[in-house]
Amino acid sequence: MQSTFSPDCRQCPRLAGFLDDVKVRYPDYHARPVPPFGDVAPKLLVVGLAPGMHGANRTGRPFTGDFAGILLYRTLHKFGYASHEGSAFADDNLALTNCRITNAVKCLPPQNKPEPSEIRQCNGYLAAEIADFKKRGGIALLALGRVAHQAALMALGLKLTGFPFAHGAIHKFPGNLTSGGMNMGGLTLYDSYHCSRYNTQTRRLTAEMFEQIFARICADLASPHLAAQQQTID
Ligand code: SF4
């Protein structure tokens, strides 16, 4: 069910309690649900997993202030979506053009691992964001990691079996797809490994691999008819 994001949400008791504890330990941290950030009418919506302890959970802006944001914002800047490549603080005047960033789960989970029930609980917010994104002319969804991929499908009411996650996979949804009473046809979901410290330091995800995904998205956005159905970037 779609619902409008509330920055005061406490619908997940485990996460709300965890954030209360974090706030005691780190009084200067945001330590609340982290809202989406970026252009209000973008063509590209990036979906991450959840706020990181010392990144978005600290600064209150997705992917801001920790390692995962370094590659993401540097790549967004390289492809013209971000006004500059660094994103250390929420008051750095960074602006996104044609791009918005959100998370599948808006609250910091312990060990970066939300429970399935928490992903489901927060999915109403993501569903509303994707519906609004589509209504305003959005085209490309980029899922960073398997959890974000599954959350995007859940938000669209699609079965996971029909759209398996793989780095570089491209899922173009059928033109007659409806979700929440809205036509979602024409959306395309792109998959990437998450740009986490672990993935980049182990070179599971390199800058070149990440840039390939963005290059494809940019090419498809420039020529939407070129977006092919469920294929993989070579
Ligand atoms: S994870 Fe989402 S649904 Fe759960 S408390 Fe946070 S904002 Fe609310």
Side-chain angles (χ1 to χ4, degrees):
M1 196 171 75
Q2 296 178 11
S3 48
T4 306
F5 172 71
S6 165
D8 300 316
C9 181
R10 294 179 65 87
Q11 291 184 82
C12 302
R14 185 184 77 116
L15 300 186
F18 183 57
L19 287 183
D20 289 342
D21 292 344
V22 168
K23 190 72 178 172
V24 171
R25 276 189 286 146
Y26 301 99
D28 296 338
Y29 278 25
H30 176 75
R32 295 173 63 209
V34 175
F37 166 65
D39 200 327
V40 293
K43 293 282 185 262
L44 168 64
L45 180 65
V46 179
V47 183
L49 167 57
M53 169 65 101
H54 303 295
N57 176 66
R58 175 173 60 86
T59 62
R61 195 172 73 186
F63 289 92
T64 297
D66 65 4
F67 197 89
I70 294 175
L71 178 58
L72 177 60
Y73 282 107
R74 193 169 64 206
T75 308
L76 287 173
H77 177 62
K78 183 165 184 173
F79 285 85
Y81 292 110
S83 56
H84 51 265
E85 65 173 37
S87 177
F89 306 100
D91 59 355
D92 58 5
N93 293 321
L94 176 68
L96 299 185
T97 303
N98 253 334
C99 176
R100 191 166 178 83
I101 305 175
T102 191
N103 278 311
V105 173
K106 307 290 191 272
C107 293
L108 167 75
Q111 279 89 49
N112 289 330
K113 286 191 180 139
E115 301 282 352
S117 62
E118 293 159 353
I119 296 170
R120 273 196 304 277
Q121 187 68 54
C122 213
N123 201 250
Y125 293 148
L126 184 63
E129 289 161 20
I130 293 176
D132 186 62
F133 168 68
K134 176 69 169 57
K135 193 168 73 185
R136 294 169 184 264
I139 295 172
L141 292 163
L142 171 59
L144 300 180
R146 188 180 299 274
V147 173
H149 167 92
Q150 293 176 347
L153 292 179
M154 190 189 303
L156 289 165
L158 293 170
K159 290 197 181 353
L160 304 179
T161 49
F163 305 94
F165 174 82
H167 177 81
I170 301 173
H171 309 277
K172 186 167 174 59
F173 298 130
N176 59 356
L177 174 67
T178 57
S179 178
M182 273 191 64
N183 180 4
M184 295 291 182
L187 286 179
T188 300
L189 174 64
Y190 299 79
D191 288 341
S192 170
Y193 292 139
H194 193 282
C195 48
S196 64
R197 178 194 292 265
Y198 177 82
N199 281 347
T200 50
Q201 290 192 338
T202 59
R203 296 189 62 76
R204 178 179 170 87
L205 178 68
T206 65
E208 293 72 25
M209 290 166 66
F210 205 45
E211 288 176 12
Q212 258 192 322
I213 304 271
F214 278 85
R216 177 57 192 262
I217 291 171
C218 284
D220 288 351
L221 288 179
S223 304
H225 63 280
L226 292 178
Q229 286 209 337
Q230 292 190 40
Q231 55 180 279
T232 299
I233 295 171
D234 296 326

